[in-house]
Amino acid sequence: MGLLYRCSACDKEMVLESYHQGRVVPCPWCGANEDVPNQLDFQTVYAERAGDESRGRLLLAISVASLLLGCLPAAAIVWWMASGRIGRAREDQREADPLLLNARVIAGVGTVIHALLWGGVAVTQF
Ligand SMILES: [Zn+2]
């Protein structure tokens, strides 16, 4: 879980960590040697990553609770918040936190299930 870096030879993304700085790293996809610049900002990446992880833990807990308690608005809000964080990580060329990805999947499933259930309730009542 580090910085996403695009290979200059095959254009695929590889994940770099701070210890790769200033070194020659072989691309995991095509094997081409890539010079990793010294001035990559890993400090910010690691700080943002820690923030994503703690937010991911919270959103995951809320998404599971909303799934169990049948709270459609909470599931929808978690899905939206997790999607925002994941999108921002990708814009910043960071890997998305797995907790955020899991929270979004669970919240998405919860939103769909509850929407179907509430839709079913509405149909049977009218
Ligand atoms: Zn490559």
Side-chain angles (χ1 to χ4, degrees):
M1 285 229 325
L3 188 73
L4 293 177
Y5 191 79
R6 201 166 282 282
C7 172
S8 60
C10 70
D11 213 36
K12 287 185 178 167
E13 285 179 334
M14 56 176 121
V15 180
L16 297 179
E17 298 292 345
S18 59
Y19 55 80
H20 291 125
Q21 270 181 314
R23 290 187 174 178
V24 176
V25 177
C27 170
W29 304 100
C30 70
N33 283 329
E34 195 68 33
D35 287 313
V36 179
N38 249 324
Q39 68 274 14
L40 293 175
D41 185 9
F42 280 96
Q43 215 65 285
T44 308
V45 168
Y46 290 150
E48 293 283 322
R49 197 167 88 178
D52 277 357
E53 193 181 331
S54 64
R55 181 54 62 92
R57 200 173 297 127
L58 176 69
L59 290 178
L60 189 61
I62 296 172
S63 66
V64 171
S66 69
L67 188 64
L68 296 177
L69 299 173
C71 183
L72 176 62
I77 290 168
V78 166
W79 183 87
W80 179 74
M81 290 178 76
S83 295
R85 278 258 173 180
I86 291 165
R88 219 180 69 204
R90 293 200 173 133
E91 280 171 18
D92 294 347
Q93 295 187 310
R94 289 181 288 113
E95 276 188 295
D97 191 276
L99 292 170
L100 285 174
L101 295 170
N102 290 336
R104 184 170 69 166
V105 168
I106 292 171
V109 168
T111 304
V112 169
I113 287 174
H114 294 137
L116 290 174
L117 286 177
W118 286 109
V121 169
V123 166
T124 53
Q125 280 181 345
F126 296 106

